[in-house]
Amino acid sequence: FKGAVDSKPSVSELRVFLGILLVSGYCTYPQRWMLWSHEKDVGNTAVSNAMRKNRFEQLMQFLCFADNTNIDRDDKYFKLRPLISHLEAKFLEHFVPVQNISHDEAIIEYFGRNSMKQHIIQPLRFGY
């Protein structure tokens, strides 16, 4: 956290933050603040009871995984590289190989401009 007023979130608070990110990816709204709305058709009481909207926005603003003063221009994921490396190490630590392994791929539809976007023929044409 750089420049944040409350720069020491607890582990449980970060878990709630991650949970809200997962929920917001599953239940998409035009604006993120709608998760905290009091309207019956858009609000999510689990999210609004778990964390204040202002605290969530503060965590979104100040949470960093990489040092922006040391940018690797060849790595498109340099801002997430420390997190990706940590997750890879943990996945390998807890992976128990078995004889039959199934691998599947998924793509999320996206039509904006980004160099990491993939193009396939069916069923979605563009996405991540």
Side-chain angles (χ1 to χ4, degrees):
F1 278 84
K2 293 187 178 180
V5 175
D6 182 9
S7 61
K8 295 182 181 179
S10 65
V11 173
S12 62
E13 190 175 30
L14 288 174
R15 286 180 179 159
V16 169
F17 176 77
L18 181 59
I20 293 172
L21 287 178
L22 292 172
V23 167
S24 68
Y26 181 74
C27 304
T28 58
Y29 292 110
Q31 286 92 22
R32 185 178 24 222
W33 62 263
M34 295 176 89
L35 286 166
W36 285 269
S37 175
H38 296 292
E39 300 294 325
K40 293 178 184 178
D41 58 341
V42 292
N44 188 320
T45 56
V47 169
S48 60
N49 290 338
M51 182 179 283
R52 295 184 338 266
K53 179 177 71 84
N54 292 342
R55 180 60 175 162
F56 180 84
E57 293 295 334
Q58 184 184 38
L59 291 175
M60 281 293 290
Q61 182 179 0
F62 294 110
L63 185 63
C64 296
F65 294 107
D67 182 10
N68 289 333
T69 61
N70 189 13
I71 297 173
D72 182 4
R73 301 260 182 226
D74 296 329
D75 186 5
K76 293 179 182 181
Y77 295 104
F78 81 91
K79 287 195 173 210
L80 293 174
R81 186 60 56 199
L83 177 64
I84 292 170
S85 299
H86 176 76
L87 289 175
E88 284 177 344
K90 289 297 180 182
F91 292 156
L92 287 173
E93 180 182 328
H94 296 287
F95 176 67
V96 179
V98 295
Q99 186 173 358
N100 300 319
I101 298 176
S102 175
H103 179 267
D104 195 9
E105 295 181 8
I107 190 165
I108 300 170
E109 189 172 24
Y110 178 76
F111 292 101
R113 293 180 182 209
N114 192 305
S115 63
M116 294 180 283
K117 182 173 60 175
Q118 299 290 315
H119 177 264
I120 59 173
I121 303 302
Q122 295 293 333
L124 299 173
R125 292 186 56 214
F126 297 98
Y128 289 107

